[in-house]
Amino acid sequence: MPANENRKDLEDRLWKAADQLRANSSLTAQEYSRPILGLIFLKYADVRFNLAAKKLTAASPSGRRSIGKLDYQELGVLYLPEHARYSSLMQLPEGANIGKEINNAMEAIEKENEDLAGVLPKEYTIINNSLLFDLLKNFNSISMDADGDIFGRIYEYFLEKFAMSEGRGGGEFFTPTSIVRLLVNIIEPFKGRLLDPASGSGGMFIQSARFEDEHQRYPAYDLSIYGQEAKEVNLRLCKMNLAVHGLSGDIRLSNTYYEDPHNGLGYFDYLLANPPFNVNGVDKERLKDDPRYPFGLPRTDNGNYLWIQVFYSALNDNGRAGFVMANSASDARQSELEIRKQLIQSGHVDVMIAISSNFFYTVTLPVTLWFFDKGKPEERQDKILFIDARHLFVQVDRAHREFTPEQIEFLGNIVRLYRGEPVENLHNSEALTREHFPDGSYQDIKGLCKLATLEEVEAQGWSLNPGRYVGVKEENDDGEGFYERLEELNEELENLNKEARELEERIAHNVAKLLNNKSCNKTLEQQTGGKL
């Protein structure tokens, strides 16, 4: 059986066992998820520690030199005190308070490894002893010979499962892996400073590192990881996720709208993000003099174009960004249209990709992936590549879709052909690429991709909606396109209705103000006998 199938069997078995245990407890998915992820982390740290111990012992067979904390840290391994090791927890005597002992283990690991201070979960006493022991046994079944990548993938697998079970709350910390891989495939973060200003659980960093691995590079040395996250619980997930993958980064707890803890204006080579959509209530008075909003503040009470400007302004002169955005932002009107027009005229909007519905756990509506490239050569600065990927997916279950590795690489190859770069075939996309681009060069394909000039974009009212440019492939309609378009129109209608309500409120406010002024003037005239 192939290695990836072995891993999949292991993931499924571990998840089913853990989920069955939760089903027989009174814990919610949210209460259960962090402690579970903490145990995966602890098992990973224990395996790495034991492998390092063998290596250090072999290097000093005489035993004359004592092996200590610094020796482990020099090997890039977390130092674990005796009582904080997974094997020690497995040997606790009957009747021991397992929850308290695991909490103590987590505290000891944080004390010995400063980067993890305040990160690890310590709520194990809410889980009863018998359930905890069963969970310890469940994850202890992972082989001591398992490499770090196995643990990283198990951690990601559990993150995704918890995100699905938590629904909307899960979407705050997890972006579907195939979406992240597509973003990464197109910005190609090979070396430099990488920022995610809405970090969640850190999936953008993990997939960037994996992309480097696939291309025989060294992410731990090539990528400098920076992040911002507004919720402390998500920041902890992110730091644990990085640690399980053998990575480290400077992740700060901060509100990205108002704070720039990395002094990141024009600093980053790469940016990846999946921000919260359509956020209202941002205090724009606090943003008026912030240079991260170079195209002005939108008048509408919506945070989308604040995020978009944060992403744009964080890039250096050769920087690339890829991010997820609500479809409505591609066609938003009024002040947001003016901001979008300036962005397009900068020549740095590079690629736009339409994604079908049901890729996310939080929303069923389709989304759009935006890509900036401040290092675009002059001959491409008056062009934008539009790709309609709404027909490209596999159905995971009734409610969820995803891209296969082949489809991700194929979409990345469309962009590589447009950029004049060699195509890739690490994931068997050669046949799909040749089918659509038989002569090995980019060409517009109706229903799939269109390279539009800025004049064409201006003619479309500065819209960045790929469907306006790509068109529809001529084939028998199975009705799927109709429903996708219906979803788009419904979202556009909701956006227009929201704008109409805001305009109605503004008009009512101004009319009331005028009537109030008129009333005041009339009263004043009566009091002064008309002598004003």
Side-chain angles (χ1 to χ4, degrees), residues 104-131:
N104 291 341
M106 295 296 186
E107 287 175 1
I109 293 170
E110 288 185 348
K111 187 176 180 181
E112 296 290 348
N113 302 275
E114 293 80 5
D115 287 349
L116 292 174
V119 169
L120 303 180
K122 304 175 201 69
E123 55 261 33
Y124 289 93
T125 51
I126 68 170
I127 305 175
N128 67 57
N129 254 19
S130 61
L131 178 54

Side-chain angles (χ1 to χ4, degrees), residues 51 94 139 148 166 186 231 255 258 266 329 345 376 378 397 428 436 482 502-503:
L51 290 173
E94 188 176 347
F139 294 115
E166 290 187 34
I186 288 170
K231 295 193 174 180
N255 186 318
Y258 310 118
Q345 290 176 328
K376 277 173 76 171
E378 191 173 341
D397 54 41
N428 303 312
H436 291 84
F482 167 77
E502 289 175 356
L503 187 59

Side-chain angles (χ1 to χ4, degrees), residues 150-333:
I150 288 289
F151 283 95
R153 289 178 184 271
I154 291 170
Y155 190 94
E156 288 174 68
Y157 182 79
F158 271 67
L159 270 176
E160 185 164 12
K161 288 290 190 182
F162 283 128
M164 290 176 73
S165 62
E166 290 187 34
R168 182 167 291 276
E172 291 181 356
F173 64 79
F174 188 83
T175 304
T177 302
S178 71
I179 292 287
V180 181
R181 286 177 180 166
L182 179 54
L183 290 167
V184 169
N185 243 267
I186 288 170
I187 74 162
E188 300 176 319
F190 282 126
K191 188 171 185 177
R193 294 182 290 264
L194 169 64
L195 172 70
D196 181 350
S199 298
S201 58
M204 302 291 181
F205 305 131
I206 305 311
Q207 295 306 324
S208 296
R210 189 157 290 146
F211 182 80
E212 281 235 326
D213 280 335
E214 285 183 349
H215 291 80
Q216 283 76 54
R217 295 176 182 243
Y218 304 96
Y221 301 102
D222 287 350
L223 289 177
S224 299
I225 290 171
Y226 298 81
Q228 290 174 252
E229 174 52 46
K231 295 193 174 180
E232 190 167 356
V233 65
N234 295 342
L235 180 136
R236 291 173 184 166
L237 284 178
C238 179
K239 289 191 172 184
M240 259 202 300
N241 199 5
L242 289 173
V244 168
H245 285 85
L247 300 168
S248 61
D250 185 357
I251 317 298
R252 306 283 184 91
L253 186 67
S254 60
N255 186 318
T256 303
Y257 294 120
Y258 310 118
E259 299 169 273
D260 181 17
H262 301 298
N263 296 316
L265 192 68
Y267 183 65
F268 294 97
D269 301 287
Y270 306 103
L271 181 145
L272 290 161
N274 175 24
F277 301 160
N278 302 318
V279 173
N280 54 26
V282 179
D283 184 358
K284 292 186 191 140
E285 282 298 310
R286 295 173 61 183
L287 310 181
K288 283 196 299 188
D289 299 318
D290 194 323
R292 294 178 302 151
Y293 305 102
F295 302 118
L297 301 177
R299 290 190 296 276
T300 184
D301 188 16
N302 187 306
N304 290 343
Y305 274 83
L306 297 175
W307 281 112
I308 290 169
Q309 291 189 77
V310 165
F311 303 154
Y312 178 84
S313 62
L315 298 176
N316 61 31
D317 289 343
N318 293 298
R320 285 181 178 177
F323 55 93
V324 186
M325 186 48 62
N327 264 8
S328 56
S330 303
D331 284 309
R333 300 166 188 243

Side-chain angles (χ1 to χ4, degrees), residues 19 73 77 94 122 151 176 196 214 226 241 303 339 350 377 420 448 450 456 470 473 476 484 503:
D19 198 43
Q73 291 180 336
V77 173
E94 188 176 347
K122 304 175 201 69
F151 283 95
D196 181 350
E214 285 183 349
Y226 298 81
N241 199 5
I339 294 170
D350 194 29
L448 177 63
K450 163 73 176 176
E456 289 175 292
V470 173
K473 184 178 179 181
N476 292 333
E484 286 181 350
L503 187 59

Side-chain angles (χ1 to χ4, degrees), residues 390-443:
R390 288 175 298 177
H391 58 283
L392 206 64
F393 57 82
V394 291
Q395 199 75 34
V396 179
D397 54 41
R398 187 181 60 81
H400 299 105
R401 297 168 173 172
E402 68 180 16
F403 293 121
T404 65
E406 177 193 21
Q407 290 168 340
I408 293 167
E409 189 172 71
F410 167 65
L411 291 168
N413 281 341
I414 297 175
V415 178
R416 292 182 189 98
L417 288 171
Y418 146 70
R419 290 174 177 162
E421 299 173 356
V423 297
E424 295 191 351
N425 190 40
L426 298 173
H427 297 285
N428 303 312
S429 66
E430 183 178 9
L432 197 55
T433 304
R434 278 188 179 176
E435 177 190 339
H436 291 84
F437 304 95
D439 63 352
S441 60
Y442 175 81
Q443 62 182 12

Side-chain angles (χ1 to χ4, degrees), residues 349 376 379-385 418 451-454:
V349 179
K376 277 173 76 171
E379 64 269 19
R380 289 208 320 266
Q381 288 191 5
D382 66 338
K383 298 177 180 69
I384 299 172
L385 177 63
Y418 146 70
L451 186 58
T453 64
L454 296 197

